[in-house]
Amino acid sequence: MIKVTSIRFAPLALALALAGCASGPGGGSIYVPMGGGEPSRAPEPPRTAEPEQNSEQEPRVWRKSEEPAVSEPEQPSRTPSYRESGDALPAAAVTLIRDADQRLQQGDSAGAISSLERAQRIAPRSAEVYFKLAEAYVAGDNLGAAEQFTLKGLSLAGNNSSLQRSGWLLLADIRRARGNVAGASQAEDRARAL
C-alpha cells in the first residue's frame, strides 16, 4: 500500500520541487551586470581635434547650423498664370469646350460634363472651363455642383473684369434657381460693381 501511495504522490512531489526552483515576481534572482553592481555610465562622445592649418587640409564640412550666410538671387514669388501672362487656352481645351457646347445644345449634359472635365485636366486654371462646367451642371439639374464650379471659376478669373462679371451673373442665376434670393442679390451687386 505504501508503494501505491508513493507512486500516486510522486508526480505531485516532483511538481512541487520544480515549482520551488522557478522564480516568481520578486522571488527570483536579480540580474547584476558585470562590474560589481556599479551603475554604468555612457561612454563619452568622441572628440575631434582642432584641425591643423596646413595647405593640404581637406575642405571644411559645415554643419547646417554653422553654414555661412549666402544671399540667393531673388526669384519671383510665383509664376503668373496663363490668364495674367496673356496666353490663350490650349487648342485641345478650346476644342473640348466647343464639343461640350454642341452636346449641351443637343441636351446631352452628361456628355458635356465629360468633355469639360477633360478640358479641366488640360487647363486646370481656366475660369472659362469652370463656368462652362457650371452651365453643364445647371443643364443636368445639379445646382449645388454648379454653384461650386462657379465659385472656383471666380477664384481663377484674376483681374479680368468681364470674366468676373459673367461669373457673378451666372452665380446669381444659380442661387436664384436654388431659392437663395439674398445670395443672388449679392452676386448681382458684385457684378454691377465691376
Side-chain angles (χ1 to χ4, degrees), residues 170-191:
L170 176 62
L171 184 62
D173 290 342
I174 293 169
R175 285 180 173 173
R176 189 170 290 106
R178 293 186 79 187
N180 183 356
V181 178
S185 175
Q186 289 175 346
E188 287 172 343
D189 291 344
R190 295 286 300 264

Side-chain angles (χ1 to χ4, degrees), residues 71-191:
S71 63
E72 294 182 17
E74 283 192 33
Q75 295 182 6
S77 60
R78 68 177 187 89
T79 57
S81 68
Y82 69 88
R83 165 95 20 239
E84 295 167 343
S85 63
D87 294 343
L89 277 171
V94 172
T95 303
L96 288 167
I97 290 172
R98 287 184 188 143
D99 178 55
D101 284 337
Q102 290 175 355
R103 289 175 184 257
L104 281 175
Q105 289 174 356
Q106 296 169 357
D108 182 14
S109 62
I113 289 170
S114 175
S115 293
L116 290 167
E117 285 174 344
R118 288 175 56 206
Q120 178 191 12
R121 287 191 292 275
I122 294 170
R125 304 223 13 107
S126 170
E128 294 99 336
V129 172
Y130 285 97
F131 292 154
K132 285 292 184 179
L133 265 166
E135 291 174 10
Y137 276 106
V138 166
D141 201 31
N142 187 346
L143 299 177
E147 184 171 349
Q148 293 302 311
F149 279 112
T150 305
L151 291 170
K152 178 66 176 179
L154 282 168
S155 72
L156 295 173
N159 53 7
N160 187 334
S161 60
S162 66
L163 193 56
Q164 286 181 356
R165 187 177 304 109
S166 65
W168 285 111
L169 291 173
L170 176 62
L171 184 62
D173 290 342
I174 293 169
R175 285 180 173 173
R176 189 170 290 106
R178 293 186 79 187
N180 183 356
V181 178
S185 175
Q186 289 175 346
E188 287 172 343
D189 291 344
R190 295 286 300 264

Side-chain angles (χ1 to χ4, degrees), residues 51-60:
E52 296 179 15
Q53 300 295 331
N54 61 27
S55 61
E56 297 178 19
Q57 179 181 351
E58 292 183 27
R60 181 173 179 185

